[in-house]
Each structure stands twice: as C-alpha cells, then as structure tokens.
Amino acid sequence: MITAIPMKDQHIANHFSRADEMLFMDEQGQVKGRFANPALTEGCEGKQQLVSMILENGADRVIIRNIGQQLLSKLLSQQLSVFHAKNGRTAIEYFASSHLADCEPFTEASQGRPSINNIAKKANGGCCNHEHDHQHAHGEEDCHNQSDSGTHKRCCESKSELANETATMKRCCNKKHPLIAH
C-alpha cells in the first residue's frame, strides 16, 4: 500500500494543494518518492497534474489536513482513500500504518472546504473552470477560442471587459475577475 502525503517542511501540509511537495511512502514507512507539487506553479491544470502524479506513483490513499471540495471530489472519483489528519504535527511514519485510528476517512466531496473561487466562477457562467474540453454555458466550444490573428485564448482571456482595477487577480488564468473583488 502506498500513501501520498502533502508536505510542508518536515510536516504534513495544512492545505493539500499548497503543499511544497508530495511524499509517497509504503506500509513499512519507507519513502518511495518525493516530488514537487505541480499545483503550486501550474494553476488549475496543476491540480489535475497533482492527481495524475498521485495515481502514477501507485498511491492507494491520501492523507490531508484541509482540502477543497473540488479537489477532494477528484481524488475520490479515482477510488483513492482519503484520510483527514487531525493533527499536523503527527509523525509522518504514523501514516504508513494500515490502521489510522487518529484519522477520519473522507468519503464525500462535501467533507472538503467550499471554494469561494469556484463559487465565483460558477456565478460567472462557469468560465475559467479550465477543464479545457468542456462546453461553456455561454456557448463556446471550449476554453481555447481562435481569434482573428490565429492565436488561441482561454475563455477568460477573451473577456477583457471583465478586468477592472478592483478585481482580484486569479492564478488559474492570470486575469482579474470582478465577481470576487475585495
């Protein structure tokens, strides 16, 4: 059994997608791999790369402290067992055990934290969810629109009127979105 653990320094990371790296450990407590977290630099696509990395390294379960509902849903849909570590200072070796008495199993996406960013995206017609092969509510084929110059743009990049000075810059597409202005 391989366990994936999001790491920050020498402890389990407080937030799954913001971990510095992902550690993979077998049931004997032997480290099988340690990789940089692609979700830190790749935006929305990085989270999918993170899930792919976990699967490629043969993980059967994932240990988390805090995780968003969307990412938890992706992990659960891949038949991964997800366990909530109640204490961030628990020794990493503890998580190699087949029985995790101090961890709560997460079996439903609703056990994750709601994403304010995702709520804002849905309120905006679903744009910027960046699955890149989905149908948008506003009728676009996918997130890559072809402009007159032949260059591709994401749906959120084609809506320049959305950008304004009071909006918050979003990591997923590097555009300002007024629905989540502070």
Side-chain angles (χ1 to χ4, degrees), residues 8 21 42 48-51 56 60 67-68 70 81 88 100 103 111 115 119 135 138 161 169-170 174 179 181:
K8 188 100 170 163
E21 57 189 2
E42 299 294 328
Q48 183 56 47
Q49 290 172 5
L50 178 58
V51 173
E56 290 166 4
D60 304 294
I67 189 169
Q70 300 300 314
S81 297
L100 300 172
C103 293
Q111 290 174 288
S115 168
I119 292 167
Q135 183 76 22
H138 48 76
E161 70 274 4
M169 183 68 78
K170 297 307 299 162
N174 297 320
L179 289 175

Side-chain angles (χ1 to χ4, degrees), residues 54-71:
I54 290 168
L55 295 171
E56 290 166 4
N57 282 281
D60 304 294
R61 66 183 181 179
V62 180
I63 308 297
I64 55 103
R65 290 274 297 133
N66 295 294
I67 189 169
Q69 289 177 344
Q70 300 300 314
L71 194 47

Side-chain angles (χ1 to χ4, degrees), residues 121-181:
K121 290 172 193 175
K122 285 182 180 180
N124 195 27
C127 276
C128 305
N129 209 2
H130 293 288
E131 292 298 321
H132 294 292
D133 60 353
H134 62 280
Q135 183 76 22
H136 284 278
H138 48 76
E140 292 175 348
E141 179 90 8
D142 60 27
C143 280
H144 294 283
N145 296 325
Q146 187 114 7
S147 71
D148 295 333
S149 65
T151 61
H152 292 283
K153 293 183 177 182
R154 289 182 173 151
C155 58
C156 52
E157 292 172 331
S158 64
K159 298 189 178 321
S160 60
E161 70 274 4
L162 289 179
N164 66 40
E165 295 303 313
T166 62
T168 301
M169 183 68 78
K170 297 307 299 162
R171 248 188 341 157
C172 70
C173 55
N174 297 320
K175 294 299 277 186
K176 293 182 178 184
H177 294 272
L179 289 175
I180 49 177

Side-chain angles (χ1 to χ4, degrees), residues 98-109:
S98 60
H99 180 68
L100 300 172
D102 292 337
C103 293
E104 174 187 2
F106 274 18
T107 57
E108 296 180 18

